[in-house]
Structures are given as structure tokens and as C-alpha cells.
Amino acid sequence: MTAKPLENRIALVTGASRGIGKEVAKALAAAGAHVIALARTQGGLEELDDEIKALGGSATLVPLDLTDFDALDRLGYSINERWGRLDILVGNAGVLGPISPLNHIDQKPFERVFAVNVTANFRLIRSLDPLLRQSDAGRAIFITSSAGSNTYAYWGCYGASKAALDVMVRDWAEEIRNITKVKAMLVNPGRTRTKMRAEAAPGEDPATLPSPAEIAPFIVEMAGPNWQETGRLFDFPTRKVLDFQRPA
Ligand code: NAP
């Protein structure tokens, strides 16, 4: 029997209760990784667990709100105690927040978007960077959006959070480029058939959109030891690894 490509690797996936994160978690488990699945919705995580078991894989469920930042430090300690390393981090969880003229947005929902989309990923990097370095091929992948590098009226809150995520991950990738084996990538999934997209574009026919399962194999590839790109963006709609454009 041939070994699975991610056999014995430990992978944390945030936002694993539905949508893109759930499909990525299943694909990583099917490729042999043990998946640490994080989200708030216990029921969604349990469904995922059943589906992973049916694929012959294994998971550890972490029902947690990512804005409980200190719990992310405790998660790091627990992963260290149990495995002594982390091979794969998929920072997928995100929220859309208000799609609205900026001057109509209250500060609280604005800050909530930044807490989930930016600060939680910062706290994950801070807590898990040492464990990714313990891996022989640590791989971190963060799900961003075209809204982080384009201008769309009414998307300023979400777009600004994704722009912040992009710069943070690229800067971290630069910090660790020459001194660790860790690679850090951003992924733009493009419009995908999930709850978030239905919220963003209620008039759109979901049947016209790619399913979240379609992007999962690409993320599995980026999670493996053979992946060598870092600090770049994988754009799923064009299937290309892109550099960021600098101002002239
Ligand atoms: P989704 O179906 O709404 O799923 C979002 C996931 O994030 C859920 O599992 C949710 O779990 C989790 N989450 C949200 N807030 C959380 C919190 N405070 N603590 C823990 N988990 C939390 O969205 P999706 O479309 O799959 O989005 C996945 C990623 O792709 C996001 O980063 C999104 O910005 C990005 N993206 C999506 C599209 C698209 O068209 N779908 C396009 C571009 C980028 P719980 O609710 O159970 O906590």
C-alpha cells in the first residue's frame, strides 16, 4: 500500500465547521493528516468528525471562538504537549461583516471583523510559529480575498481586514524565509458556494459558483513538504501563484 502524501502530519484548520474550511479539513484528513478542527459550532465540527472517520482519517475537535485570544495561546501549549510540533496551519476562518457605506458602519462590527480576520491570525502566528519551526516542513496557508487588493464600494471593512492579513502574512514570510523551513502562503479562493458568499450576494444563483471542495486539493498540495513557494498568493480563479504589485 502506498503511503498517503500527508501521512502522520498534524494540521490545524480554523473555520472547519462549514464552507471552505470543512472541505479543506476533509481533504487534509483524506491525505493522511491528523486534523485539529477549530470553529465555534460544535454540531458542525461533529459532522466533520463523522465525515473524516468515514474517510478513514482522524480529527481532534476544538470548539472555540477565535476572538478568545488567550485560548489560542493555550491551544499552542496543548499542541506542543501532545505532538511537540505543528506541520500545517490553515488560517481559513473569516467573517464578512457589514457590506455598507463606511460612514454607516458602527465601530463594534468593524472591530469584530478585524478581530476575527486579522488579530486572531496574528495570535495564531504568535502562538504557533515555534511549533511550525519544530516541523521538518512547516506550512502555513491563510485564506484571503480579492477584496484585499481591489476596490469595491461598500466592501471597505472586509477588504481592509484582508489587506491587513495579506501584509501581515507576507511580512512574516519574509522574517522566516532564510532562517526556518516554514513556508507561508496566501490563497484567494474567488467566489465560492458557501454561507458567506450567499450573505454577500443573496441574489446570486449558488449553482453558478465553484463548490468549496474544488479548491481543497490545491490547499493540500500547498500543505505538503514539496511546496516551496512562500510569501506569495495562490489565486484559485486563475490557478496561478502571483506576486503582489508594488506601487511604481
Ligand atoms: P463560511 O461558510 O461563512 O465559513 C466561515 C468559517 O469561519 C466557519 O467555519 C465559522 O465557524 C468560522 N468562524 C467565523 N467566525 C469565527 C470565530 N469567531 N471563531 C471561530 N471560527 C469562526 O465562509 P467561507 O466562504 O467558507 O470562508 C472561508 C474563508 O474564505 C474566509 O476567510 C473568507 O473570507 C474567505 N473567502 C471566501 C469567499 C467566498 O466566496 N466564499 C471568497 C473570498 C474569500 P463557526 O461559525 O462555527 O464559528
Side-chain angles (χ1 to χ4, degrees):
M1 207 169 81
T2 48
K4 293 178 175 174
L6 300 179
E7 197 77 58
N8 296 325
R9 300 195 85 74
I10 310 298
L12 169 64
V13 181
T14 69
S17 60
R18 62 171 185 268
I20 295 171
K22 185 176 185 188
E23 293 305 321
V24 169
K26 279 162 53 182
L28 289 169
H34 177 78
V35 173
I36 305 165
L38 186 153
R40 289 166 303 178
T41 312
Q42 177 99 32
L45 292 177
E46 282 167 7
E47 254 174 48
L48 169 69
D49 193 36
D50 290 345
E51 290 175 37
I52 285 180
K53 280 191 184 127
L55 292 166
S58 66
T60 298
L61 307 184
V62 183
L64 191 73
D65 188 324
L66 278 166
T67 61
D68 181 354
F69 301 129
D70 291 341
L72 301 181
D73 286 344
R74 292 196 294 276
L75 177 64
Y77 297 135
S78 307
I79 294 173
N80 188 36
E81 291 267 293
R82 187 154 164 200
W83 293 287
R85 68 175 207 283
L86 181 67
D87 300 303
I88 300 158
L89 163 62
V90 183
N92 160 79
V95 288
L96 187 63
I99 301 295
S100 168
L102 271 170
N103 65 337
H104 292 191
I105 299 176
D106 286 336
Q107 187 169 326
K108 238 191 177 155
F110 185 90
E111 286 178 348
R112 175 82 191 165
V113 170
F114 271 72
V116 177
N117 295 0
V118 187
T119 312
N121 283 314
F122 154 62
R123 292 294 296 252
L124 285 169
I125 289 172
R126 205 177 79 144
S127 171
L128 303 173
D129 162 299
L131 295 175
L132 287 163
R133 293 183 195 218
Q134 289 303 314
S135 169
D136 59 351
R139 300 287 176 263
I141 298 146
F142 294 88
I143 311 303
T144 184
S145 162
S146 64
S149 39
N150 286 287
T151 41
Y152 303 135
Y154 314 123
W155 285 67
C157 174
Y158 176 78
S161 76
K162 292 299 192 181
L165 174 71
D166 289 357
V167 176
M168 180 173 72
V169 171
R170 286 160 54 206
D171 286 353
W172 177 53
E174 216 42 54
E175 289 167 23
I176 59 178
R177 183 189 287 277
N178 295 321
I179 54 168
T180 75
K181 293 182 187 140
V182 181
K183 312 288 179 202
M185 288 293 293
L186 289 150
V187 171
N188 170 36
R191 298 177 309 145
T192 309
R193 196 190 314 151
T194 68
K195 188 171 174 226
M196 181 186 285
R197 181 65 201 176
E199 217 182 291
E204 190 175 63
D205 177 2
T208 61
L209 301 176
S211 94
E214 290 176 46
I215 194 174
F218 294 88
I219 294 180
V220 168
E221 192 187 338
M222 268 174 260
N226 292 336
W227 184 267
Q228 293 305 316
E229 299 278 6
T230 193
R232 301 182 77 196
L233 173 101
F234 175 70
D235 183 54
F236 178 67
T238 58
R239 311 290 197 270
K240 283 191 178 139
V241 176
L242 304 176
D243 279 322
F244 285 84
Q245 248 176 344
R246 287 162 185 83

